[in-house]
Amino acid sequence: MLYLFVLGRDAELSKLEIESLLESKGIEFTIKEDNKNVVVLDCKELNPEIIHEFGGIIKIAKVFSNSNRIDQIEESFEKTSIYEGTKNKMEYYIDNFNSNLLSFVEDYLKDYFKSIKLKALYKKNGDPSKLINKSIIENGINFVIFKSYIGKVISITNPLELKKRDLARPEVDYMKVISIRLAKILINICKVKKNGLLLDTFCGSGTILQEALLKGVNVVGLDKDEESISQANKNINWLIKEFKLNSKYEIINLDCARLNEKIKDNSVDGVVTEPYMGPFIRKLPNLLQAKDLVFELSNLYDLLLGNLKKVVKKNGRVVIVIPKFRTMENKTVFIDFRGLVDKHGFVLATKPISYGYKENKLLREIYVLDKV
Ligand SMILES: C[S@@+](CC[C@H](N)C(=O)[O-])C[C@H]1O[C@@H](n2cnc3c(N)ncnc32)[C@H](O)[C@@H]1O
């Protein structure tokens, strides 16, 4: 079975998320093709609901045609049940990526809908919230075209659900919180299984902990700030009640430099963390300020990796967000994180992946480390 995965904003991360999640679910797959918007995947039949487990996938479409020959495409359309709704009026959308088949598909569908006397309105810009609100999968159709592949969307991410969860939790400080979307992606990349133990050494108000708990993973969160600990406790208590969860959690007010006092050696299956990255940046630092900050953070991350090496189990994974600093002089100052990875005997599972926009004041890279 061929599927088209329409990727979110950070394509490299989304690709790694697909591979990691399918691997940890034991689903065999091959990636046939990909670009910055789409991955074509060959695998057994997927449950459309799988989309809700991802943070970085916008739509999944099932491919019903893979040819550049018009006669073959027409034959594939004829074999597919194009419209499965019951109303005689509906809307349809076509997402086109790198394909010269668009005008053919547009003409074919126009004729087809006319022939079955269906009032079909062709709409553009099908953003997920709009499509979810319109229940487009049940009431309409969304096609995806990528090169010679034509697919029909079987599931769409629900940003409204994430927004609801984001707004409903009792405590949130948007100045320092990680997005739910990124938290989900990083947790998937970490590959901790249900009932496994995930650690966040800088848990803040607990977004990463919350999203891991929702996947049936047990969690431990540390933060040296008492207020963050109180926020995390309130949020997690709310979450457990709201979603009737029974995974275990522990939230500890502790500096990550002392984590070995509370966390046993070889007890953690995976770590996902967005560490302290220095004070909130309102205006770009100068070169000297950036170098001072890099020095301070390098020492913190050095201590952290030394401690993580002890508590993470063999074959466990650490997924961590590492900052890079742009300066007033238009330079970029890096932490030598690869050096720290080598020093503590971790292995990079993949090259670091940039996250966010080049224009952001703070640049971020996602590092994925394995303890071998
Ligand atoms: C970028 S925030 C993490 C936000 C978190 N991911 C969330 O979504 O709420 C960094 C957190 O690290 C905490 N922190 C700073 N230095 C620390 C240290 N040495 N040990 C443990 N926590 C620390 C801060 O109190 C802050 O809550």
Side-chain angles (χ1 to χ4, degrees):
M1 208 79 77
L2 289 176
Y3 289 95
L4 296 167
F5 279 59
V6 180
L7 309 176
R9 194 189 64 191
D10 301 282
E12 286 306 315
L13 264 190
S14 300
K15 279 178 212 165
L16 184 58
E17 186 191 24
I18 297 175
E19 290 170 357
S20 309
L21 185 68
L22 296 184
E23 269 164 31
S24 64
K25 289 176 92 69
I27 298 175
E28 285 179 24
F29 65 93
T30 9
I31 292 186
K32 291 280 191 198
E33 288 195 60
D34 64 82
N35 78 350
K36 65 178 184 11
N37 300 110
V38 182
V39 166
V40 184
L41 207 85
D42 190 355
C43 66
K44 64 169 198 187
E45 177 114 37
L46 288 177
N47 180 345
E49 293 300 307
I50 197 171
I51 196 149
H52 305 300
E53 297 187 41
F54 287 102
I57 306 302
I58 298 180
K59 295 176 185 176
I60 302 177
K62 202 169 178 174
V63 174
F64 60 86
S65 174
N66 176 20
S67 169
N68 276 313
R69 274 182 44 191
I70 297 300
D71 57 332
Q72 289 180 343
I73 301 173
E74 281 178 343
E75 202 182 317
S76 302
F77 265 108
E78 277 155 27
K79 284 193 197 142
T80 311
S81 50
I82 298 182
Y83 178 56
E84 286 158 316
T86 47
K87 298 186 182 131
N88 70 347
K89 195 175 164 194
M90 64 88 168
E91 287 180 359
Y92 66 102
Y93 293 77
I94 306 175
D95 301 325
N96 181 43
F97 302 100
N98 279 45
S99 171
N100 46 20
L101 298 178
L102 179 66
S103 52
F104 168 75
V105 173
E106 286 174 336
D107 290 347
Y108 181 92
L109 289 172
K110 219 163 119 190
D111 291 347
Y112 171 76
F113 292 134
K114 207 168 158 192
S115 74
I116 60 165
K117 297 193 170 54
L118 181 69
K119 276 190 200 138
L121 253 74
Y122 179 25
K123 295 266 188 175
K124 298 204 170 141
N125 291 333
D127 88 84
S129 317
K130 196 157 92 184
L131 299 176
I132 291 282
N133 274 335
K134 291 182 171 180
S135 305
I136 210 73
I137 293 184
E138 297 77 27
N139 299 333
I141 319 172
N142 186 173
F143 295 98
V144 178
I145 316 178
F146 171 61
K147 295 187 174 172
S148 58
Y149 301 94
I150 308 176
K152 203 171 135 182
V153 171
I154 55 164
S155 50
I156 303 174
T157 187
N158 188 348
L160 305 168
E161 198 184 291
L162 297 196
K163 199 165 171 193
K164 208 165 100 190
R165 187 149 83 234
D166 191 18
L167 297 176
R169 56 187 159 165
E171 300 279 338
V172 54
D173 176 352
Y174 287 107
M175 296 296 268
K176 52 181 193 179
V177 82
I178 186 173
S179 73
I180 292 188
R181 204 180 71 81
L182 180 59
K184 285 179 75 141
I185 297 175
L186 301 186
I187 293 165
N188 283 331
I189 292 174
C190 190
K191 299 207 277 193
V192 175
K193 298 227 160 62
K194 210 172 169 177
N195 300 320
L197 182 64
L198 179 141
L199 167 68
D200 179 357
T201 42
F202 301 84
C203 71
S205 53
T207 315
I208 291 169
L209 305 180
Q210 133 190 347
E211 294 307 308
L213 282 167
L214 285 167
K215 289 177 84 73
V217 170
N218 301 318
V219 297
V220 183
L222 307 183
D223 202 291
K224 75 169 189 184
D225 173 45
E226 263 179 44
E227 198 193 327
S228 299
I229 290 294
S230 142
Q231 290 181 323
N233 268 312
K234 283 188 196 149
N235 285 341
I236 301 300
N237 280 321
W238 166 82
L239 185 93
I240 299 242
K241 278 202 199 103
E242 184 75 16
F243 293 89
K244 301 184 178 59
L245 305 177
N246 46 25
S247 303
K248 295 189 211 88
Y249 76 93
E250 200 180 349
I251 296 169
I252 311 171
N253 189 191
L254 190 72
D255 192 305
C256 69
R258 293 170 49 204
L259 75 91
N260 299 87
E261 292 173 18
K262 296 279 182 188
I263 317 269
K264 288 201 199 90
D265 284 0
N266 301 310
S267 64
V268 170
D269 295 289
V271 177
V272 176
T273 198
E274 183 199 35
Y276 172 68
M277 298 179 183
F280 186 79
I281 299 179
R282 284 179 209 285
K283 75 177 203 327
L284 291 182
N286 64 34
L287 198 56
L288 200 65
Q289 288 167 327
K291 283 188 173 166
D292 280 349
L293 186 54
V294 159
F295 180 74
E296 180 198 341
L297 294 180
S298 300
N299 288 332
L300 177 69
Y301 300 166
D302 187 8
L303 263 174
L304 175 71
L305 285 192
N307 285 336
L308 292 183
K309 188 70 199 289
K310 294 182 199 141
V311 299
V312 173
K313 290 180 188 167
K314 191 167 184 264
N315 298 325
R317 196 163 247 202
V318 177
V319 182
I320 183 165
V321 187
I322 297 298
K324 287 197 285 195
F325 299 96
R326 289 174 51 214
T327 73
M328 280 175 183
E329 298 85 350
N330 216 6
K331 299 242 176 327
T332 307
V333 183
F334 303 81
I335 289 166
D336 177 19
F337 196 71
R338 269 171 198 260
L340 297 179
V341 169
D342 290 344
K343 175 177 168 187
H344 293 288
F346 283 100
V347 172
L348 281 183
T350 169
K351 65 177 184 4
I353 301 175
S354 297
Y355 173 76
Y357 299 109
K358 286 200 293 288
E359 302 72 29
N360 289 359
K361 288 200 183 107
L362 183 69
L363 306 171
R364 292 155 204 256
E365 282 185 314
I366 314 296
Y367 278 78
V368 183
L369 327 178
D370 286 332
K371 178 172 163 180
V372 287

